[in-house]
Amino acid sequence: MNNSESHPGENQTISPGFILVGFSYLNELQILLFLLLLLIYLLTLMGNLLVILLIKLNPSLHTPMYFFLVNLSFLEMCFTSSVVPQLLVHLLVEEKTISLVGCAAQMYVYSIMGLTECCLLAAMAYDRYVAICHPLHYTTIMSGRVCAELAGASWLISITVEIVPTVWIFSLPFCGSYCIHHFFCDIPPVLKMVCADTSNIRIVGFIVTGLFVINPFLLILLSYVRIISTILKLPSAEGRRKAFSTCSSHLTVVTFFYGTALITYLVPKSDSTKESDQMISLMNTIVAPLLNPLIYTLRNKEVKGAMRKAVVKSIFAHSR
Ligand SMILES: *[C@@H]1O[C@H](CO)[C@@H](O)[C@H](O)[C@H]1NC(C)=O
């Protein structure tokens, strides 16, 4: 240990937790943000539940694509729930504290969801690739077992892998003001609180990101290169339009999720403000989970049809 790394003893006493500064700079406007986020949160839960119910209750939607969509909707609910309830409370109270254990738990759950989402989106891209490029073998390749295994692997990998950075970061000493300039315990802002050498953790972070975030992204990219080149070779315009419509929802979801995630984590921080960082992070953790069910229901004829049927059924049931 050299001298420049040691800090005054009083700063290294065990802290009761962190302060999540978050949106404090909004002052009175925090109540407006509270109302807006509460609305978005409730809509997200309802929208995703609706998607799950529609698919579960509709035998015509029991295909691999919708199996993954159910899993994705469930994931979105967990994803946004790992951040929003805590944030809502913090928007109302003066003391925006979070205990160390709470912070670690939030970081763990949030990173699991992020990683699983990347893997699930890749599995969904693969599903579209097989459906469009190998339609004759689709049912044999994407059997129920394969789908369950792909989804299960996405969850299992993330749950296992994320133990490492979480336990590692929280075994290091924290010091300084204990103020996190973010609205939840994400890895980069918490890492800034560590007063020890973090270069090894960063290397592990790069490896995890490369394996389970960039790899799925490349897989998605590759799938779409193959999908698009196959679609372009289709003889009829009608066939091209039909084939593309089955993957346009997925493509929209992927673009939004990866777009905001890449801006949040990969764009150099030097020329961005904390406020704009938080806004983009808000898009990724709060707006994306709301958009996904909307995109899939509004752009998708089958889901819309299932919804219409359900509505008609319930109207008839009531009018008897
Ligand atoms: C998601 O997939 C996993 C693995 O196949 C399964 O165990 C889980 O029940 C699924 N979740 C939902 C909500 O369908």
Side-chain angles (χ1 to χ4, degrees):
M1 270 274 164
N2 63 38
N3 243 345
S4 67
E5 264 186 16
S6 67
H7 292 257
E10 55 186 17
N11 270 354
Q12 286 202 3
T13 49
I14 303 282
S15 147
F18 291 119
I19 298 163
L20 288 168
V21 177
F23 296 99
S24 305
Y25 67 90
L26 290 176
N27 300 323
E28 287 85 46
L29 287 180
Q30 286 182 93
I31 185 82
L32 275 184
L33 189 60
F34 169 85
L35 292 174
L36 182 67
L37 291 184
L38 182 65
L39 183 71
I40 293 181
Y41 183 55
L42 293 178
L43 285 177
T44 305
L45 292 186
M46 279 179 346
N48 282 295
L49 268 181
L50 186 71
V51 166
I52 293 178
L53 280 180
L54 275 179
I55 295 174
K56 290 262 182 207
L57 295 179
N58 235 290
S60 68
L61 298 182
H62 289 180
T63 63
M65 182 166 122
Y66 293 106
F67 167 79
F68 287 123
L69 185 55
V70 167
N71 233 288
L72 187 70
S73 282
F74 174 71
L75 173 79
E76 299 288 12
M77 291 197 287
C78 303
F79 192 42
T80 170
S81 298
S82 71
V83 171
V84 179
Q86 163 93 63
L87 174 59
L88 288 176
V89 172
H90 277 178
L91 285 171
L92 291 182
V93 299
E94 269 306 306
E95 292 228 330
K96 303 173 197 306
T97 52
I98 185 167
S99 69
L100 282 184
V101 174
C103 190
Q106 185 176 51
M107 179 191 284
Y108 182 54
V109 173
Y110 173 81
S111 3
I112 288 177
M113 299 308 156
L115 225 55
T116 308
E117 174 135 9
C118 294
C119 298
L120 266 187
L121 287 176
M124 294 172 88
Y126 178 69
D127 165 68
R128 290 299 83 208
Y129 158 73
V130 177
I132 290 173
C133 303
H134 303 282
L136 297 181
H137 302 117
Y138 182 59
T139 42
T140 42
I141 298 179
M142 296 305 286
S143 65
R145 220 193 73 207
V146 169
C147 293
E149 279 171 1
L150 283 176
S154 303
W155 285 94
L156 202 67
I157 288 173
S158 315
I159 290 172
T160 319
V161 163
E162 289 296 348
I163 294 176
V164 178
T166 312
V167 170
W168 196 348
I169 290 176
F170 281 86
S171 66
L172 294 172
F174 297 106
C175 58
S177 62
Y178 288 95
C179 281
I180 296 178
H181 287 276
H182 202 51
F183 59 90
F184 71 102
C185 285
D186 198 4
I187 292 182
V190 174
L191 211 49
K192 281 201 195 122
M193 303 286 113
V194 171
C195 52
D197 184 17
T198 55
S199 46
N200 284 339
I201 289 198
R202 285 174 201 276
I203 292 171
V204 169
F206 276 125
I207 296 172
V208 170
T209 313
L211 283 179
F212 304 111
V213 179
I214 306 293
N215 256 350
F217 182 67
L218 294 179
L219 221 81
I220 293 169
L221 220 55
L222 192 69
S223 299
Y224 273 100
V225 169
R226 303 287 299 272
I227 287 172
I228 289 170
S229 67
T230 305
I231 287 181
L232 288 181
K233 278 188 220 128
L234 289 179
S236 76
E238 175 64 11
R240 282 197 293 269
R241 202 192 51 74
K242 244 185 176 163
F244 188 70
S245 77
T246 65
C247 48
S248 61
S249 326
H250 177 258
L251 194 57
T252 315
V253 169
V254 166
T255 310
F256 194 79
F257 177 79
Y258 265 100
T260 50
L262 291 182
I263 297 174
T264 308
Y265 295 103
L266 293 188
V267 169
K269 293 287 163 204
S270 51
D271 49 350
S272 62
T273 61
K274 276 163 193 149
E275 286 80 17
S276 69
D277 284 351
Q278 292 203 110
M279 274 305 149
I280 291 166
S281 188
L282 213 54
M283 291 293 147
N284 187 241
T285 48
I286 291 159
V287 181
L290 170 69
L291 287 185
N292 291 359
L294 284 183
I295 291 169
Y296 268 96
T297 40
L298 297 184
R299 301 197 52 163
N300 193 304
K301 274 207 190 100
E302 287 172 297
V303 180
K304 265 199 272 187
M307 190 140 71
R308 210 168 298 130
K309 257 192 259 162
V311 170
V312 169
K313 235 191 210 164
S314 68
I315 290 174
F316 274 108
H318 283 295
S319 63
R320 282 184 189 220

